[in-house]
């Protein structure tokens, strides 16, 4: 419609410029100077718009190649938050949810969590949290500001486990595992989208940029959805990560064949359990070691 309007108005515009405007410009030096400045400004704007459009086309092509669906900085304004909420609402009901994070408090407990409602539609939820008495968590806490302590992180893990227990009561198939190493990636897989954040040393993860990658159905090799999903599956399948028993508050160790070979206490108080937060060093080493690395084998991993 705009093109048609310009086409029909061109004859009248040309007639006005040639027979009315230009005769006035020829006899008025100030008007001629103003006309030249206006034309130069218009040309500068047009060339800049063309340059910006060309650069944006390259950025869009790169975003499509990486399958980047959304990205925001930690200082995201209300508009970016609104876009993120709209993205979550557009998500189709995911049957499976895979989560690799530090404590899970910002996902399961925080009232401002955008993914907590999306988890209600998932049937199977697989979660990996950091071991509360592991060396990796201690190194992570030591690098954070002084207001974040080991006890506060333990409380967040306890609250996340309580929320996962409620999901189990609601009929969800919830599996929880704990990893020992210092966290590096926060990965949340919901259906065809994966949320990714980096655990930068010295900074809380909520202060880190967040990226959302989508699965390219026409060509799954494109984009970063498959690599991050594969990263989670690789961590999940490693037998060195113990599984949590919601009934007994214990860590269940399994061998490569999937057979149970030992148990150990989690190391933090949950509900009516009265386990100390500060687990002795010897017990922590025993609880965190892989079953095959201890001299006593499965006998050293009996409940404390």
């Amino acid at each position: 419609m705009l093109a048609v309007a310009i086409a029909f108005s061109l004859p009248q515009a040309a007639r006005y410029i040639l027979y009315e405007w230009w005769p006035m410009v020829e006899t008025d030096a100030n008007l001629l100077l103003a006309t030249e400045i206006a034309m130069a400004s218009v040309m500068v704007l047009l060339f800049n718009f063309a340059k910006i459009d060309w650069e944006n086309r390259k950025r869009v092509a790169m975003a499509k190649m990486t399958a980047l669906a959304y990205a925001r900085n930690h200082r995201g304004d209300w508009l970016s938050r609104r876009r993120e909420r709209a993205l979550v609402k557009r998500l189709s009901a995911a049957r499976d949810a895979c989560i690799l994070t530090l404590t899970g408090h910002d996902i399961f407990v925080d009232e401002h969590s955008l993914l907590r409602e999306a988890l209600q539609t998932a049937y199977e939820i697989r979660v990996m949290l950091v071991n509360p008495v592991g060396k990796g968590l201690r190194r992570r806490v030591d690098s954070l500001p002084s207001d974040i302590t080991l006890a506060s992180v333990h409380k967040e893990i306890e609250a996340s486990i309580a929320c996962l227990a409620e999901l189990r009561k609601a009929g969800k198939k919830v599996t929880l595992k704990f990893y020992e190493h210092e966290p590096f990636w926060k990965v949340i897989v919901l259906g065809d989208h994966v949320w990714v954040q980096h655990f930068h040393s010295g900074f809380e993860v909520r202060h880190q940029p967040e990226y959302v990658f989508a699965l390219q159905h026409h060509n799954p090799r494109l984009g970063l959805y498959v690599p991050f999903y594969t990263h989670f599956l690789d961590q999940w399948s490693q037998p060195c990560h113990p599984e949590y028993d919601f009934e007994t508050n214990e860590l269940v160790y399994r061998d490569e064949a999937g057979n149970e070979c030992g148990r150990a206490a989690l190391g933090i108080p949950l509900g009516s359990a009265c386990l100390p937060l500060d687990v002795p060093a010897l017990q922590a080493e025993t609880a965190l070691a892989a079953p095959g690395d201890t001299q006593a084998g499965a006998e050293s991993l009996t409940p404390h």
Side-chain angles (χ1 to χ4, degrees), residues 27 47 49 52 67 100 107-108 112 116 120 129 139 143 147 170 181 195-196 223 231 293 299 301:
T27 59
F47 279 113
F49 283 145
I52 292 173
L100 171 63
I107 303 173
F108 305 108
H112 299 294
R116 186 169 59 177
Q120 301 297 326
L129 304 180
R139 288 193 295 266
S143 68
D147 58 330
H181 56 80
W195 279 255
V196 178
H231 171 71
D293 295 338
E299 294 179 357
L301 295 175

Side-chain angles (χ1 to χ4, degrees), residues 197-234:
Q197 283 180 287
H198 173 233
F199 285 103
H200 196 285
S201 179
F203 296 90
E204 297 182 64
V205 68
R206 59 188 179 93
H207 294 161
Q208 290 295 106
E210 183 180 38
Y211 307 95
V212 182
F213 301 99
L215 175 64
Q216 300 279 27
H217 291 278
H218 62 282
N219 191 354
R221 294 189 302 107
L222 291 179
L224 296 177
Y225 173 90
V226 173
F228 279 110
Y229 190 22
T230 305
H231 171 71
F232 173 86
L233 295 178
D234 179 66

Side-chain angles (χ1 to χ4, degrees), residues 104-122:
H105 186 273
D106 56 335
I107 303 173
F108 305 108
V109 183
D110 191 357
E111 59 181 5
H112 299 294
S113 173
L114 298 177
L115 301 178
R116 186 169 59 177
E117 295 183 1
L119 293 174
Q120 301 297 326
T121 60

Side-chain angles (χ1 to χ4, degrees), residues 2-299:
L2 180 61
V4 171
I6 293 175
F8 277 98
S9 63
L10 279 178
Q12 291 80 3
R15 188 179 300 109
Y16 174 78
I17 293 174
L18 291 175
Y19 296 106
E20 297 184 24
W21 179 258
W22 187 246
M24 292 189 299
V25 171
E26 284 183 319
T27 59
D28 191 339
N30 294 329
L31 187 58
L32 177 60
L33 180 61
T35 302
E36 292 178 347
I37 293 175
M39 288 297 298
S41 301
V42 170
M43 292 182 65
V44 168
L45 289 176
L46 289 177
F47 279 113
N48 274 277
F49 283 145
K51 180 182 178 182
I52 292 173
D53 181 68
W54 179 255
E55 292 178 351
N56 286 341
R57 286 174 62 89
K58 293 190 294 184
R59 292 192 180 97
V60 169
M62 289 186 292
K64 288 182 178 180
M65 183 172 295
T66 58
L68 182 64
Y70 178 78
R72 70 168 178 86
N73 201 357
H74 76 278
R75 297 187 181 90
D77 53 8
W78 66 271
L79 183 58
S80 62
R81 286 290 185 180
R82 183 177 180 181
R83 291 174 180 172
E84 190 172 7
R85 285 194 294 268
L87 173 64
V88 175
K89 290 180 180 179
R90 292 199 304 268
L91 293 178
S92 57
R95 183 184 181 277
D96 301 330
C98 304
I99 300 172
L100 171 63
T101 183
L102 184 68
T103 65
H105 186 273
D106 56 335
I107 303 173
F108 305 108
V109 183
D110 191 357
E111 59 181 5
H112 299 294
S113 173
L114 298 177
L115 301 178
R116 186 169 59 177
E117 295 183 1
L119 293 174
Q120 301 297 326
T121 60
Y123 169 69
E124 183 176 0
I125 302 175
R126 290 179 285 181
V127 183
M128 293 191 70
L129 304 180
V130 66
N131 199 316
V133 294
K135 295 180 180 179
L137 177 60
R138 295 181 184 272
R139 288 193 295 266
R140 174 65 181 173
V141 172
D142 291 341
S143 68
L144 295 176
S146 58
D147 58 330
I148 300 177
T149 63
L150 199 60
S152 64
V153 175
H154 285 170
K155 291 180 180 179
E156 291 185 359
I157 295 177
E158 178 183 355
S160 298
I161 294 177
C163 290
L164 292 176
E166 293 296 327
L167 290 175
R168 290 181 75 250
K169 294 179 181 179
K172 309 292 183 182
K173 183 181 179 182
V174 180
T175 308
L176 173 60
K177 290 186 178 182
F178 289 93
Y179 61 89
E180 162 65 15
H181 56 80
E182 189 173 359
F184 190 77
W185 289 113
K186 175 184 176 182
V187 180
I188 303 174
V189 182
L190 279 178
D192 295 340
H193 292 77
V194 54
W195 279 255
V196 178
Q197 283 180 287
H198 173 233
F199 285 103
H200 196 285
S201 179
F203 296 90
E204 297 182 64
V205 68
R206 59 188 179 93
H207 294 161
Q208 290 295 106
E210 183 180 38
Y211 307 95
V212 182
F213 301 99
L215 175 64
Q216 300 279 27
H217 291 278
H218 62 282
N219 191 354
R221 294 189 302 107
L222 291 179
L224 296 177
Y225 173 90
V226 173
F228 279 110
Y229 190 22
T230 305
H231 171 71
F232 173 86
L233 295 178
D234 179 66
Q235 294 293 322
W236 183 264
S237 60
Q238 292 183 12
C240 60
H241 301 314
E243 182 180 340
Y244 178 72
D245 190 338
F246 287 89
E247 303 298 333
T248 61
N249 187 31
E250 293 176 336
L251 300 179
V252 180
Y253 290 86
R254 302 183 184 277
D255 55 21
E256 295 184 357
N259 301 317
E260 181 179 338
C261 58
R263 287 176 176 256
L266 177 60
I268 60 174
L270 294 177
S272 59
C274 299
L275 299 176
L277 284 176
D278 297 328
V279 179
L282 181 59
Q283 294 183 3
E285 292 291 339
T286 304
L288 295 174
D293 295 338
T294 59
Q295 297 179 355
E299 294 179 357

